[in-house]
Amino acid sequence: NREGIWSLQIEWLLKRHFAKKKVLAIQGIKCLSLIFIDKVSNYMGDEPKIKNLFVKKYKELYPEFHDGMIPTDEEIKNVQGYYFAQNSKGEFADNEGGLKEQKKIYELILQKKDELLTIGNSVEFIFSHSALGVGWDNPNVFNIATLNNSYSDIKKRQEIGRGLRICVNQKGVRVYDANNVEEGARINQLTVI
């Protein structure tokens, strides 16, 4: 059951994200999570299965990590960023052509990394279908969920590579782990789900 697997992946991603976010925020580090999806229509379509699962799980798990508080629909909407290809008619497609037409999201995610990395910026989860050919890198991706089927080792390495950067704090300074840090206390550790 693909949707059952996606639901579990999203649940694990959210738990890791919320736990890491608390620890990293104390050190002035913004936590980002990247979600690779199988097709754009599962996030942007008439029946956005992945988006609906994300919203459902977010509402379920948020109180556990936020002193029982309940997130508003607006808050849930604002933590989500995405970049998908669009054609000239504004229709989303499962390829990279026309990506630059989504100006605001495109600029935030691909060009204004400093703004995206600001703790005050609400975007924490980035959904993507075709992020590998546009050279997108961000040093603060701490979690990756692959809700897509891929049998290519190269593609999987490229996806994981999006989270293999040394993170930066709010001043833009790289934050390194000490050589003798215990695994549970390591900052620069990527979780792949």
Side-chain angles (χ1 to χ4, degrees):
N1 180 337
R2 191 169 42 168
E3 286 182 45
I5 292 169
W6 288 343
S7 181
L8 281 172
Q9 286 180 287
I10 291 169
E11 180 177 328
W12 294 336
L13 174 79
L14 287 167
K15 286 181 176 183
R16 292 298 298 159
H17 181 91
F18 290 146
K20 285 183 181 181
K21 179 182 172 181
K22 268 187 180 177
V23 172
L24 294 171
I26 294 167
Q27 301 176 58
I29 301 168
K30 167 108 177 248
C31 182
L32 295 173
S33 292
L34 178 58
I35 300 106
F36 287 102
I37 64 172
D38 65 334
K39 54 187 177 181
V40 175
S41 62
N42 279 331
Y43 187 81
M44 299 297 292
D46 294 332
E47 293 182 43
K49 295 173 187 173
I50 290 174
K51 186 175 191 171
N52 291 342
L53 285 170
F54 177 84
V55 170
K56 179 183 175 199
K57 287 294 179 183
Y58 194 96
K59 285 180 179 178
E60 284 176 18
L61 296 169
Y62 187 91
E64 179 183 337
F65 293 88
H66 298 88
D67 299 322
M69 293 174 57
I70 307 294
T72 66
D73 291 341
E74 186 71 18
E75 287 172 312
I76 297 170
K77 178 184 172 196
N78 290 339
V79 297
Q80 299 173 67
Y82 60 86
Y83 58 110
F84 306 122
Q86 268 182 313
N87 63 25
S88 59
K89 297 176 187 173
E91 299 164 333
F92 292 99
D94 291 335
N95 60 47
E96 293 173 10
L99 190 61
K100 292 181 182 177
E101 293 174 28
Q102 299 167 258
K103 198 130 176 85
K104 186 178 177 186
I105 299 280
Y106 175 84
E107 285 179 358
L108 176 65
I109 294 172
L110 295 177
Q111 296 174 342
K112 296 182 178 178
K113 290 180 190 176
D114 53 339
E115 183 180 330
L116 180 61
L117 291 174
T118 303
I119 289 177
N121 183 292
S122 61
V123 175
E124 297 178 13
F125 299 89
I126 300 168
F127 292 82
S128 178
H129 178 270
S130 303
L132 303 177
V134 294
W136 184 77
D137 274 327
N138 197 295
N140 288 26
V141 171
F142 290 94
N143 309 290
I144 295 176
T146 57
L147 279 60
N148 56 359
N149 292 330
S150 175
Y151 303 100
S152 164
D153 287 344
I154 292 171
K155 185 176 179 188
K156 281 298 172 199
R157 286 184 184 135
Q158 287 177 322
E159 289 174 353
I160 292 168
R162 296 296 175 231
L164 297 178
R165 305 290 182 266
I166 303 297
C167 67
V168 298
N169 62 20
Q170 294 300 281
K171 296 177 182 174
V173 176
R174 297 240 181 237
V175 179
Y176 295 90
D177 289 298
N179 291 334
N180 60 350
V181 69
E182 293 186 27
E183 188 167 330
R186 189 174 298 138
I187 294 170
N188 292 292
Q189 184 162 347
L190 176 66
T191 299
V192 180
I193 301 163

